[in-house]
Amino acid sequence: MEGSESLRLPPRPSTPSDSDCCGSGCMTCVFDIHDKEVSLWKDECDRIRRGATASSEYTMKPERYVQLRILSIVKETQDSFVFTFAVSGGVAIKVGQHLVLRHRSDDRVITRSYTPIRTDADSFDVLIKIYNNGAMSRWVSTWQEGDLAEWRGPIGQFDHTPNKFQHLVLVAAGTGIAPMISIIQHVLNNDVDETRVHLVFSCRSSSDVLCRSLIRDFTDYWNFSVTYFLTQDTQENSSMRQRDKVVYSRLSRELLRRELPENLNQTRVVVCGTRSFDKDMMNYLTLSGFPPDCVHKF
């Protein structure tokens, strides 16, 4: 018993507060993630008590964290970066799935979910925004090439059946663009999928538009279009291209309705942004009479 008590066990994952949950019935709620983190923590404590060594396996799995090395860091905007991680065997990630990043200090465990914007046979890219007072951001802001970070996954589910809907409208704000990128790529890279994809992307200003070059590449496809909503910018100050469709306003109920096709029964909408943005968009869709079973919120 004394030997067991002297073991250095990792801290228990912090319990989310009620305010951390948006109450919108997300596919993977913060409390679901917490329950899984507690289960993994208990397993790890048991392994330490048994004297088991840490796993030397570096293949990504949903139920086990692995340490992955940062290959490169590219600045996307003034406060957002694309981090490339090396991973043995690649990431068998499906459209819309995400990975969980974990940071452990002496007395606290922090986890955040991120959807890769690119994957290949031996690496993946994640887009991360640095917040001034963010608990995870304080650690991420210190990252350098060659550093290690703990990841697990993939997790989550998003089902897309080619040509089931005529229109797929993706409503995103800020870093909520990340899962949308994977969905867009999934549709556009399928030659038999003729679903028309329309991205509605809300950002503060033109300098805050994430994945701009990727989105511009998407516009070369016949079945993709995008409307940018810039909430704190003006046409005079904007660096957007003249041919870009830009609305210099917040995304209101009326403006969102204009972005939706007339035939709502042949349209699916996906929403991802901040908690307040998601709540507003879901409310706007309900008030517009949009079928609730045709809406997916990340």
Side-chain angles (χ1 to χ4, degrees):
M1 180 65 70
E2 292 180 0
S4 175
E5 291 178 349
S6 65
L7 292 174
R8 185 175 179 84
L9 300 178
R12 182 186 178 94
S14 303
T15 302
S17 64
D18 290 341
S19 61
D20 289 328
C21 175
C22 63
S24 300
C26 300
M27 185 69 69
T28 307
C29 178
V30 291
F31 287 104
D32 295 330
I33 295 176
H34 172 69
D35 290 344
K36 182 62 177 178
E37 291 298 319
V38 171
S39 176
L40 293 173
W41 169 76
K42 290 179 179 178
D43 290 344
E44 185 172 3
C45 289
D46 288 342
R47 288 196 301 273
I48 293 174
R49 292 188 181 100
R50 295 195 309 267
T53 58
S55 172
S56 60
E57 187 175 357
Y58 293 94
T59 302
M60 292 287 293
K61 290 185 177 181
E63 68 279 2
R64 180 69 61 85
Y65 280 98
V66 294
Q67 287 194 328
L68 303 179
R69 192 172 303 279
I70 300 173
L71 293 179
S72 67
I73 302 173
V74 177
K75 188 173 184 177
E76 179 77 10
T77 65
Q78 59 183 356
D79 55 8
S80 300
F81 299 81
V82 174
F83 298 90
T84 300
F85 284 86
V87 56
S88 174
V91 184
I93 190 167
K94 297 179 181 178
V95 60
Q97 288 187 312
H98 61 269
L99 308 176
V100 179
L101 172 67
R102 179 174 71 177
H103 173 55
R104 296 193 294 187
S105 60
D106 290 338
D107 59 352
R108 191 177 183 188
V109 178
I110 307 168
T111 59
R112 295 290 184 271
S113 298
Y114 299 98
T115 301
I117 59 173
R118 184 201 62 83
T119 62
D120 62 21
D122 54 12
S123 67
F124 64 86
D125 293 348
V126 286
L127 174 66
I128 300 180
K129 182 175 181 178
I130 305 299
Y131 295 92
N132 291 333
N133 298 317
M136 182 67 81
S137 293
R138 284 194 290 271
W139 176 53
V140 172
S141 64
T142 68
W143 281 356
Q144 297 181 4
E145 292 181 6
D147 286 350
L148 295 172
E150 290 186 309
W151 291 91
R152 70 177 178 91
I155 299 168
Q157 183 176 358
F158 175 81
D159 295 323
H160 172 74
T161 302
N163 304 312
K164 180 178 180 179
F165 294 93
Q166 292 180 3
H167 303 275
L168 182 60
V169 180
L170 310 177
V171 185
T175 52
I177 189 64
M180 307 306 192
I181 293 295
S182 68
I183 294 173
I184 296 168
Q185 291 171 331
H186 182 76
V187 175
L188 299 186
N189 291 337
N190 186 348
D191 292 337
V192 301
D193 195 345
E194 297 186 352
T195 305
R196 293 179 178 270
V197 182
H198 180 54
L199 173 63
V200 180
F201 193 13
S202 176
C203 304
R204 289 177 302 182
S205 66
S206 55
S207 61
D208 294 306
V209 176
L210 300 167
C211 303
R212 187 185 302 196
S213 60
L214 263 178
I215 295 172
R216 286 179 173 174
D217 289 342
F218 294 153
T219 60
D220 291 335
Y221 289 81
W222 68 271
N223 56 335
F224 176 82
S225 59
V226 55
T227 302
Y228 299 94
F229 283 81
L230 303 184
T231 62
Q232 299 178 19
D233 214 346
T234 63
Q235 188 170 0
E236 292 74 20
N237 298 329
S238 175
S239 62
M240 303 299 290
R241 298 181 303 182
Q242 188 171 4
R243 62 176 176 169
D244 291 329
K245 183 180 178 182
V246 184
V247 179
Y248 296 93
S249 171
R250 291 188 177 276
L251 186 54
S252 65
R253 173 188 170 187
E254 293 74 19
L255 291 174
L256 177 61
R257 183 61 186 89
R258 294 179 191 176
E259 299 299 317
L260 300 176
E262 289 298 322
N263 189 355
L264 297 183
N265 291 325
Q266 286 297 317
T267 302
R268 188 183 192 189
V269 176
V270 182
V271 177
C272 188
T274 63
R275 187 178 307 161
S276 60
F277 177 86
D278 291 352
K279 183 178 180 180
D280 287 343
M281 295 306 110
M282 298 297 286
N283 184 44
Y284 295 161
L285 290 168
T286 300
L287 293 175
S288 298
F290 196 84
D293 57 341
C294 295
V295 181
H296 179 96
K297 187 179 77 66
F298 282 108

